[in-house]
Amino acid sequence: MPEGASRMVDTFFMIVISAEEPGDYMQRVILRAGEQVHPLVGRIMAIHVAEESRHISFAHDS
């Protein structure tokens, strides 16, 4: 892979990881507060929070 492309991939993942934590935080706040959301949206958010926790844990260990 060309060096410029490698830097772009690294930058992309840094941006993705830095955006995951605020999004995950907001979803956890909504779920913990027990706000009224559509049951499907609530379930998707719960699954997403669990998956993001794994991603964030992996990122912090790296």
Side-chain angles (χ1 to χ4, degrees):
M1 179 182 319
E3 187 173 326
S6 176
R7 275 188 257 140
M8 288 175 52
V9 170
D10 293 343
T11 302
F12 171 75
F13 280 108
M14 293 288 289
I15 292 168
V16 168
I17 290 171
S18 67
E20 284 184 11
E21 291 199 47
D24 180 58
Y25 173 78
M26 291 304 298
Q27 289 181 354
R28 282 186 281 126
V29 167
I30 291 169
L31 291 171
R32 285 183 185 151
E35 292 185 28
Q36 292 287 37
V37 295
H38 189 280
L40 181 59
V41 172
R43 183 66 181 134
I44 291 170
M45 285 173 52
I47 292 168
H48 186 251
V49 166
E51 289 298 317
E52 290 304 316
S53 294
R54 290 185 203 140
H55 297 164
I56 291 168
S57 174
F58 176 76
H60 285 197
D61 288 344
S62 296

Coordinates of all heavy atoms in Angstrom, one line a residue:
M1 N 0.8 -1.2 0.0 CA 0.0 0.0 0.0 C 0.9 1.2 0.0 O 1.8 1.3 0.8 CB -0.9 0.0 1.3 CG -1.8 1.1 1.4 SD -2.9 1.2 2.9 CE -3.4 -0.4 3.2
P2 N 0.6 2.2 -0.8 CA 1.4 3.5 -0.9 C 1.4 4.1 0.5 O 0.4 4.1 1.2 CB 0.7 4.3 -1.9 CG -0.1 3.4 -2.8 CD -0.4 2.2 -1.9
E3 N 2.4 4.8 0.9 CA 2.5 5.4 2.2 C 1.4 6.5 2.4 O 0.9 6.5 3.5 CB 3.9 6.1 2.4 CG 4.1 6.6 3.8 CD 5.4 7.1 4.1 OE1 6.4 6.6 3.5 OE2 5.6 8.0 4.8
G4 N 1.1 7.2 1.4 CA 0.0 8.2 1.6 C -1.3 7.5 1.9 O -2.1 8.0 2.8
A5 N -1.6 6.4 1.3 CA -2.8 5.7 1.6 C -2.8 5.1 3.0 O -3.8 5.1 3.7 CB -3.0 4.5 0.6
S6 N -1.7 4.7 3.4 CA -1.5 4.2 4.8 C -1.9 5.3 5.8 O -2.6 5.0 6.8 CB -0.1 3.7 5.0 OG 0.0 3.2 6.4
R7 N -1.4 6.5 5.6 CA -1.7 7.6 6.5 C -3.2 7.9 6.5 O -3.8 8.2 7.5 CB -0.9 8.8 6.2 CG 0.5 8.8 6.8 CD 1.2 10.1 6.6 NE 2.2 9.8 5.6 CZ 2.5 10.6 4.6 NH1 2.0 11.8 4.5 NH2 3.4 10.3 3.7
M8 N -3.8 7.8 5.3 CA -5.2 8.1 5.2 C -6.0 7.1 6.0 O -7.0 7.4 6.7 CB -5.7 8.1 3.8 CG -5.2 9.3 3.0 SD -5.6 9.3 1.2 CE -7.3 9.0 1.2
V9 N -5.7 5.8 5.9 CA -6.3 4.7 6.7 C -6.2 5.0 8.2 O -7.1 4.9 8.9 CB -5.8 3.3 6.3 CG1 -6.3 2.3 7.2 CG2 -6.2 3.0 4.8
D10 N -5.0 5.3 8.6 CA -4.7 5.6 10.0 C -5.6 6.8 10.5 O -6.2 6.7 11.6 CB -3.3 5.9 10.3 CG -2.4 4.7 10.1 OD1 -2.9 3.5 10.0 OD2 -1.1 4.9 9.9
T11 N -5.6 7.8 9.7 CA -6.4 9.0 10.1 C -7.9 8.7 10.1 O -8.6 9.1 11.0 CB -6.1 10.1 9.0 OG1 -4.7 10.4 9.0 CG2 -6.9 11.4 9.4
F12 N -8.3 7.9 9.1 CA -9.7 7.5 9.1 C -10.1 6.8 10.4 O -11.1 7.1 11.1 CB -10.0 6.6 7.9 CG -11.4 6.0 7.9 CD1 -12.5 6.8 7.6 CD2 -11.6 4.7 8.2 CE1 -13.8 6.3 7.7 CE2 -12.9 4.1 8.3 CZ -14.0 4.9 8.0
F13 N -9.3 5.8 10.8 CA -9.7 5.1 12.0 C -9.6 5.9 13.3 O -10.3 5.7 14.2 CB -8.8 3.8 12.1 CG -9.4 2.7 11.3 CD1 -8.7 2.3 10.1 CD2 -10.6 2.1 11.6 CE1 -9.2 1.3 9.3 CE2 -11.1 1.1 10.8 CZ -10.4 0.7 9.6
M14 N -8.6 6.8 13.3 CA -8.5 7.8 14.5 C -9.8 8.6 14.6 O -10.3 8.8 15.7 CB -7.3 8.7 14.3 CG -6.0 8.0 14.4 SD -5.6 7.4 16.1 CE -5.3 9.0 16.8
I15 N -10.3 9.1 13.5 CA -11.6 9.9 13.5 C -12.7 9.0 13.9 O -13.6 9.4 14.7 CB -11.8 10.5 12.1 CG1 -10.7 11.6 11.8 CG2 -13.2 11.1 12.0 CD1 -10.7 12.0 10.4
V16 N -12.8 7.8 13.4 CA -13.9 6.9 13.7 C -13.9 6.6 15.2 O -14.9 6.7 15.9 CB -13.9 5.6 12.9 CG1 -14.8 4.5 13.5 CG2 -14.2 5.9 11.4
I17 N -12.8 6.2 15.7 CA -12.7 5.9 17.2 C -13.0 7.1 18.0 O -13.7 7.0 19.1 CB -11.3 5.3 17.5 CG1 -11.2 3.9 16.9 CG2 -11.0 5.2 19.0 CD1 -9.8 3.3 16.9
S18 N -12.5 8.3 17.6 CA -12.8 9.5 18.5 C -14.3 9.9 18.4 O -14.8 10.5 19.3 CB -11.9 10.7 18.0 OG -12.3 11.1 16.7
A19 N -15.0 9.5 17.4 CA -16.4 9.8 17.3 C -17.3 8.7 18.0 O -18.4 9.0 18.3 CB -16.8 9.9 15.8
E20 N -16.7 7.6 18.3 CA -17.5 6.5 18.9 C -17.8 6.8 20.3 O -18.9 6.6 20.8 CB -16.8 5.2 18.8 CG -16.8 4.5 17.4 CD -16.1 3.2 17.4 OE1 -15.8 2.6 18.5 OE2 -15.9 2.7 16.3
E21 N -16.9 7.4 21.1 CA -17.1 7.6 22.5 C -18.2 8.6 22.8 O -19.1 8.3 23.6 CB -15.8 8.0 23.2 CG -14.9 6.8 23.2 CD -13.8 6.9 24.3 OE1 -14.1 7.3 25.4 OE2 -12.6 6.7 23.9
P22 N -18.3 9.7 22.1 CA -19.4 10.7 22.4 C -20.8 10.1 22.0 O -21.7 10.2 22.7 CB -19.1 11.9 21.5 CG -17.6 11.8 21.3 CD -17.3 10.4 21.2
G23 N -20.8 9.4 20.9 CA -22.1 8.8 20.4 C -22.5 7.7 21.4 O -23.7 7.6 21.7
D24 N -21.6 6.9 21.8 CA -21.9 5.8 22.8 C -22.3 6.4 24.1 O -23.3 6.0 24.7 CB -20.6 5.0 23.0 CG -20.8 3.9 24.0 OD1 -21.7 3.0 23.8 OD2 -20.1 3.8 25.0
Y25 N -21.7 7.5 24.5 CA -22.1 8.2 25.8 C -23.5 8.7 25.7 O -24.3 8.4 26.6 CB -21.1 9.3 26.1 CG -21.6 10.2 27.2 CD1 -21.4 9.7 28.5 CD2 -22.2 11.4 27.0 CE1 -21.8 10.5 29.6 CE2 -22.7 12.1 28.1 CZ -22.4 11.7 29.4 OH -22.8 12.4 30.5
M26 N -23.9 9.3 24.6 CA -25.3 9.8 24.5 C -26.3 8.7 24.5 O -27.3 8.8 25.1 CB -25.4 10.7 23.2 CG -24.6 12.0 23.2 SD -25.1 13.0 24.6 CE -26.8 13.3 24.3
Q27 N -26.0 7.6 23.8 CA -26.9 6.5 23.8 C -27.1 5.9 25.2 O -28.2 5.5 25.6 CB -26.5 5.4 22.8 CG -26.7 5.9 21.4 CD -26.3 4.9 20.3 OE1 -25.7 3.8 20.7 NE2 -26.5 5.2 19.1
R28 N -26.0 5.8 25.9 CA -26.1 5.2 27.3 C -26.9 6.2 28.2 O -27.7 5.7 29.0 CB -24.7 5.1 27.9 CG -24.0 3.8 27.4 CD -22.7 3.5 28.1 NE -21.6 4.4 27.5 CZ -20.9 5.2 28.2 NH1 -20.9 5.2 29.5 NH2 -20.0 5.9 27.6
V29 N -26.7 7.5 28.0 CA -27.5 8.4 28.8 C -29.0 8.3 28.5 O -29.8 8.2 29.4 CB -27.1 9.9 28.5 CG1 -28.0 10.9 29.1 CG2 -25.7 10.1 29.1
I30 N -29.3 8.1 27.3 CA -30.8 8.0 26.9 C -31.3 6.7 27.4 O -32.4 6.6 28.0 CB -30.9 8.0 25.3 CG1 -30.6 9.4 24.8 CG2 -32.3 7.6 24.9 CD1 -30.5 9.5 23.3
L31 N -30.6 5.6 27.3 CA -31.0 4.3 27.8 C -31.2 4.3 29.3 O -32.1 3.8 29.9 CB -30.1 3.2 27.3 CG -30.1 2.9 25.8 CD1 -29.0 1.9 25.5 CD2 -31.5 2.3 25.4
R32 N -30.2 4.9 30.0 CA -30.2 4.9 31.5 C -31.4 5.7 32.0 O -31.9 5.4 33.1 CB -28.9 5.4 32.1 CG -27.8 4.4 32.0 CD -26.6 4.9 32.6 NE -25.5 4.0 32.5 CZ -24.2 4.3 32.4 NH1 -23.9 5.6 32.5 NH2 -23.3 3.4 32.2
A33 N -31.7 6.8 31.3 CA -32.7 7.7 31.8 C -34.1 7.1 31.6 O -35.1 7.6 32.1 CB -32.6 9.1 31.0
G34 N -34.2 6.1 30.8 CA -35.5 5.5 30.5 C -36.4 6.3 29.7 O -37.6 6.2 29.8
E35 N -35.8 7.1 28.8 CA -36.6 8.0 27.9 C -37.4 7.1 27.0 O -37.0 6.0 26.7 CB -35.7 8.9 27.1 CG -35.0 9.9 28.0 CD -34.2 10.9 27.1 OE1 -34.5 11.1 25.9 OE2 -33.2 11.4 27.6
Q36 N -38.5 7.6 26.6 CA -39.4 6.9 25.7 C -38.9 6.9 24.3 O -38.8 8.0 23.7 CB -40.8 7.5 25.8 CG -41.6 7.4 27.1 CD -42.0 5.9 27.3 OE1 -41.4 5.0 26.9 NE2 -43.2 5.8 27.9
V37 N -38.5 5.8 23.9 CA -38.1 5.7 22.5 C -38.8 4.4 21.9 O -39.3 3.6 22.7 CB -36.5 5.5 22.3 CG1 -35.8 6.7 22.8 CG2 -36.1 4.3 23.1
H38 N -38.9 4.4 20.6 CA -39.6 3.2 20.0 C -38.8 2.0 20.5 O -37.6 2.0 20.5 CB -39.5 3.4 18.5 CG -40.3 2.4 17.8 ND1 -39.9 1.1 17.5 CD2 -41.6 2.4 17.2 CE1 -40.8 0.4 16.9 NE2 -41.8 1.2 16.7
P39 N -39.6 0.9 20.8 CA -38.9 -0.3 21.3 C -37.8 -0.8 20.3 O -36.7 -1.3 20.8 CB -40.0 -1.4 21.3 CG -41.3 -0.5 21.5 CD -41.0 0.7 20.7
L40 N -38.0 -0.7 19.0 CA -37.0 -1.2 18.1 C -35.7 -0.3 18.2 O -34.6 -0.8 18.2 CB -37.5 -1.2 16.7 CG -36.5 -1.6 15.6 CD1 -36.1 -3.1 15.8 CD2 -37.2 -1.5 14.2
V41 N -35.9 1.0 18.3 CA -34.8 1.9 18.4 C -34.1 1.6 19.7 O -32.8 1.6 19.8 CB -35.3 3.4 18.4 CG1 -34.1 4.3 18.7 CG2 -35.9 3.7 17.0
G42 N -34.8 1.4 20.8 CA -34.2 1.1 22.1 C -33.3 -0.2 22.1 O -32.2 -0.2 22.6
R43 N -33.9 -1.2 21.4 CA -33.1 -2.5 21.3 C -31.9 -2.3 20.4 O -30.8 -2.8 20.8 CB -34.0 -3.5 20.7 CG -33.4 -4.9 20.6 CD -33.1 -5.5 21.9 NE -32.4 -6.8 21.7 CZ -31.4 -7.2 22.4 NH1 -30.9 -6.4 23.4 NH2 -30.8 -8.3 22.2
I44 N -32.0 -1.5 19.3 CA -30.8 -1.3 18.4 C -29.8 -0.5 19.2 O -28.6 -0.8 19.1 CB -31.3 -0.6 17.1 CG1 -32.1 -1.5 16.3 CG2 -30.0 0.0 16.4 CD1 -32.8 -0.9 15.1
M45 N -30.2 0.5 20.0 CA -29.3 1.3 20.8 C -28.6 0.4 21.8 O -27.3 0.6 22.0 CB -30.0 2.5 21.4 CG -30.3 3.6 20.5 SD -31.3 4.9 21.2 CE -30.4 5.4 22.6
A46 N -29.3 -0.5 22.4 CA -28.7 -1.3 23.4 C -27.6 -2.3 22.8 O -26.5 -2.4 23.4 CB -29.8 -2.2 24.1
I47 N -28.0 -2.8 21.7 CA -27.0 -3.6 21.0 C -25.8 -2.8 20.5 O -24.6 -3.2 20.7 CB -27.6 -4.3 19.7 CG1 -28.7 -5.4 20.2 CG2 -26.6 -5.0 18.8 CD1 -29.6 -5.9 19.1
H48 N -26.0 -1.6 20.0 CA -25.0 -0.8 19.6 C -24.0 -0.4 20.7 O -22.8 -0.4 20.6 CB -25.5 0.5 18.9 CG -24.5 1.4 18.3 ND1 -24.2 2.6 18.8 CD2 -23.7 1.2 17.2 CE1 -23.2 3.1 18.1 NE2 -22.9 2.3 17.1
V49 N -24.6 -0.1 21.9 CA -23.8 0.3 23.1 C -22.9 -0.9 23.5 O -21.7 -0.7 23.7 CB -24.7 0.7 24.2 CG1 -23.9 0.8 25.5 CG2 -25.3 2.1 23.9
A50 N -23.4 -2.1 23.4 CA -22.6 -3.2 23.8 C -21.5 -3.4 22.8 O -20.3 -3.7 23.2 CB -23.5 -4.5 23.8
E51 N -21.8 -3.3 21.5 CA -20.7 -3.4 20.5 C -19.7 -2.3 20.6 O -18.5 -2.6 20.5 CB -21.4 -3.5 19.1 CG -22.1 -4.7 18.8 CD -21.3 -6.0 18.8 OE1 -20.1 -5.9 18.3 OE2 -21.7 -7.0 19.4
E52 N -20.1 -1.1 20.8 CA -19.2 0.0 20.9 C -18.3 -0.1 22.1 O -17.1 0.2 22.1 CB -19.9 1.3 20.9 CG -20.6 1.7 19.6 CD -19.6 1.7 18.4 OE1 -18.5 2.3 18.6 OE2 -20.0 1.2 17.4
S53 N -18.8 -0.7 23.2 CA -18.0 -0.9 24.4 C -16.9 -1.8 24.0 O -15.7 -1.6 24.5 CB -18.9 -1.5 25.5 OG -19.8 -0.6 25.9
R54 N -17.1 -2.9 23.2 CA -16.1 -3.8 22.8 C -15.0 -3.0 22.0 O -13.8 -3.2 22.1 CB -16.6 -4.9 22.0 CG -17.4 -5.9 22.9 CD -17.9 -7.1 22.1 NE -19.0 -7.6 22.8 CZ -20.1 -8.1 22.3 NH1 -20.2 -8.2 21.0 NH2 -21.1 -8.6 23.0
H55 N -15.5 -2.2 21.0 CA -14.6 -1.5 20.2 C -13.7 -0.5 21.0 O -12.5 -0.4 20.8 CB -15.4 -0.7 19.1 CG -16.1 -1.5 18.2 ND1 -17.1 -1.0 17.4 CD2 -16.1 -2.8 17.9 CE1 -17.6 -2.0 16.6 NE2 -17.0 -3.1 16.9
I56 N -14.4 0.2 21.9 CA -13.6 1.2 22.7 C -12.6 0.5 23.6 O -11.5 1.0 23.7 CB -14.6 2.1 23.5 CG1 -15.4 3.0 22.5 CG2 -13.9 2.9 24.5 CD1 -16.6 3.7 23.1
S57 N -13.0 -0.6 24.2 CA -12.1 -1.4 25.0 C -10.9 -1.8 24.2 O -9.7 -1.7 24.7 CB -12.8 -2.6 25.6 OG -11.9 -3.4 26.3
F58 N -11.1 -2.3 23.0 CA -10.0 -2.7 22.1 C -9.1 -1.5 21.8 O -7.9 -1.6 21.8 CB -10.6 -3.3 20.8 CG -9.5 -3.7 19.8 CD1 -8.7 -4.8 20.0 CD2 -9.3 -2.9 18.7 CE1 -7.8 -5.2 19.1 CE2 -8.3 -3.2 17.8 CZ -7.5 -4.4 18.0
A59 N -9.7 -0.4 21.5 CA -8.9 0.8 21.1 C -8.1 1.3 22.3 O -6.9 1.7 22.1 CB -9.9 1.9 20.7
H60 N -8.6 1.2 23.5 CA -7.9 1.6 24.7 C -6.7 0.7 25.0 O -5.7 1.1 25.5 CB -8.8 1.8 25.9 CG -9.6 3.0 25.8 ND1 -10.3 3.5 26.9 CD2 -10.0 3.8 24.8 CE1 -11.0 4.5 26.6 NE2 -10.8 4.7 25.3
D61 N -6.9 -0.6 24.7 CA -5.8 -1.6 24.9 C -4.7 -1.5 23.9 O -3.6 -2.0 24.1 CB -6.4 -3.0 24.9 CG -7.2 -3.3 26.1 OD1 -7.1 -2.5 27.1 OD2 -8.0 -4.3 26.1
S62 N -5.0 -0.9 22.7 CA -4.0 -0.9 21.6 C -3.0 0.2 21.8 O -3.2 1.2 22.4 CB -4.7 -0.6 20.3 OG -5.5 -1.7 20.0

